[in-house]
Amino acid sequence: MEIAATTSVSVAPQPPRPSNAFSRKPHSVSSLPLASFQRKHCVGNDKLRVSASSSLDAVVAAEKISPASLLDKRETGGVLHFVKYHGLGNDFILVDNRDSSEPKITQEQAAKLCDRNFGVGADGVIFAMPGVNGTDYAMRIFNSDGSEPEMCGNGVRCFARFIAKLENLQGKHSFTIHTGAGLIVPEIQDDGQAKVDMGIPVLKAQDVPTKLPGNKGEAVIQAELVVDGVSWNVTCVSMGNPHCITFGTKGGPNQKLKVDDLNLSEIGPKFEHHEMFPARTNTEFVEVLSRSHLKMRVWERGAGATLACGTGACAMVVAAVLEGRANRKCTVDLPGGPLEIEWKQEDNHIYMTGPAEAVFYGRALL
């Protein structure tokens, strides 16, 4: 695989956001206002070549292609155009796939693109696709291991910002997205953050799914799960994808988990592949700072340790409320930054608010 990349990176502590990087006019693109220094890398391999830049002008000048062709959806010669986004460090390759209901690349190609040494580097590839059943858009995602999850909370915020740029939407806007987890409704706020109606949490054990028997009706709340000989208290919640939330091992109500002390790469896979989770599971390890302030580390199914997980933050607040540890509205600290999560009693929906930022534009020769 050969990788050739040209990047323009701002070294300022707070780089400016991209402004109007896309236009509603067909095949019309303006550049990101980022410039400080450039880096070029080339790694030998015969299967993938990647060219990326945080300035579209740099790509145009270097490759002598017009802005009109840069984000042309009609790919030729195995070229994939993309935009790299992140939501609190949970990073994704966004692909404009609105002209087809089939992803432009395979799951195997997505896994190669997500490789941080031999590809672009990301936690997943997200496709913006035509709407289904009356929705405005559909979203599919391939994880960094090539698997396909039902949905991704941080990913849907990146998706919303991506659509806003593609459609040149200004100010406050909302739209409907069909996902494998059902209908999701994000709303771009005036400050650029995305507020997402994540729907109603699922608690019925067989629908999460988990083989743990329900201990509060059909829900699994503060149940015992033995992992590698250690008994953990867990609550299981689905936000359209499965989550196992733990506030610590068994040993008394006053025991408090210190998430920074966890060896996540060792314990995470043991939860993910536990026999009690037939579809595998995402796992959230939680430290309670106050009834409105929680701290979380996550091991994501198919992606491993990530800097943030939106569905995980939502599921975790549900678990904290059910276990009597927190209020319905909380700030959740993740390694990549905070999310605001609210589980509204009046409609039983979970609402997540947080940022999503464009990082750079790129082309991959597959």
Side-chain angles (χ1 to χ4, degrees):
M1 173 171 63
E2 181 183 66
I3 299 178
T6 303
T7 60
S8 176
V9 183
S10 172
V11 295
Q14 296 292 329
R17 287 183 179 175
S19 59
N20 196 23
F22 296 88
S23 171
R24 291 181 71 97
K25 296 179 181 179
H27 317 311
S28 175
V29 186
S30 61
S31 64
L32 283 171
L34 300 178
S36 289
F37 62 93
Q38 289 191 333
R39 299 181 298 173
K40 292 185 178 181
H41 308 280
C42 189
V43 180
N45 193 297
D46 60 356
K47 290 188 178 179
L48 174 67
R49 183 182 175 190
V50 177
S51 173
S53 177
S54 57
S55 168
L56 291 180
D57 292 337
V59 175
V60 173
E63 303 294 338
K64 295 182 179 179
I65 48 179
S66 68
S69 68
L70 188 58
L71 289 181
D72 193 325
K73 298 189 295 297
R74 296 168 295 178
E75 308 297 348
T76 59
V79 175
L80 178 75
H81 298 298
F82 65 88
V83 183
K84 178 77 174 289
Y85 273 80
H86 81 88
L88 298 178
N90 196 190
D91 56 341
F92 303 95
I93 296 166
L94 274 293
V95 178
D96 183 3
N97 211 118
R98 292 173 298 164
D99 61 348
S100 173
S101 58
E102 290 297 321
K104 291 181 183 290
I105 59 172
T106 65
Q107 290 167 278
E108 181 183 22
Q109 288 172 319
K112 290 178 180 179
L113 282 172
C114 289
D115 190 289
R116 297 190 183 278
N117 292 305
F118 298 105
V120 176
D123 291 322
V125 180
I126 295 175
F127 306 90
M129 310 180 81
V132 175
N133 299 327
T135 60
D136 297 318
Y137 305 97
M139 168 181 157
R140 288 183 65 182
I141 177 171
F142 293 157
N143 282 326
S144 58
D145 68 352
S147 62
E148 182 173 3
E150 298 85 352
M151 214 275 290
C152 172
N154 285 312
V156 80
R157 294 200 318 276
C158 293
F159 184 102
R161 290 293 303 275
F162 183 52
I163 289 296
K165 290 295 183 182
L166 287 173
E167 302 286 3
N168 195 26
L169 302 177
Q170 305 296 325
K172 201 168 185 177
H173 285 276
S174 66
F175 35 84
T176 55
I177 303 173
H178 173 82
T179 74
L183 177 67
I184 299 294
V185 184
E187 181 181 76
I188 304 296
Q189 305 295 292
D190 290 329
D191 62 1
Q193 292 203 100
K195 180 178 181 179
V196 185
D197 179 351
M198 300 290 286
I200 298 173
V202 175
L203 301 176
K204 187 176 180 180
Q206 69 179 35
D207 294 337
V208 171
T210 178
K211 293 180 181 179
L212 288 169
N215 60 348
K216 298 288 178 68
E218 294 182 289
V220 177
I221 301 172
Q222 279 188 296
E224 181 179 359
L225 178 70
V226 179
V227 180
D228 201 24
V230 178
S231 294
W232 295 77
N233 286 318
V234 302
T235 293
C236 298
V237 178
S238 173
M239 293 301 305
N241 54 354
H243 292 271
C244 173
I245 302 97
T246 181
F247 295 84
T249 57
K250 294 185 73 69
N254 296 323
Q255 187 172 6
K256 188 176 180 181
L257 184 63
K258 297 290 186 181
V259 295
D260 289 336
D261 296 338
L262 287 172
N263 185 342
L264 200 57
S265 62
E266 179 181 349
I267 190 66
K270 294 175 182 177
F271 274 84
E272 178 185 357
H273 298 280
H274 198 285
E275 63 183 356
M276 289 293 103
F277 303 107
R280 297 188 291 162
T281 191
N282 303 281
T283 309
E284 288 74 37
F285 301 89
V286 190
E287 181 175 343
V288 179
L289 303 178
S290 75
R291 290 193 62 83
S292 60
H293 194 183
L294 307 171
K295 184 176 182 179
M296 181 184 99
R297 291 181 69 192
V298 60
W299 182 268
E300 290 198 52
R301 178 186 60 167
T306 61
L307 295 179
C309 177
T311 56
C314 293
M316 182 266 282
V317 169
V318 171
V321 171
L322 293 174
E323 293 190 20
R325 301 177 186 271
N327 302 327
R328 285 179 170 264
K329 187 173 183 179
C330 295
T331 297
V332 178
D333 287 345
L334 302 114
L339 284 174
E340 299 298 324
I341 308 295
E342 183 176 8
W343 184 17
K344 288 190 176 181
Q345 193 163 9
E346 52 266 35
D347 62 6
N348 202 29
H349 283 228
I350 303 280
Y351 294 85
M352 170 188 64
T353 304
E357 304 287 345
V359 182
F360 63 82
Y361 300 77
R363 304 180 302 147
L365 303 183
L366 302 174

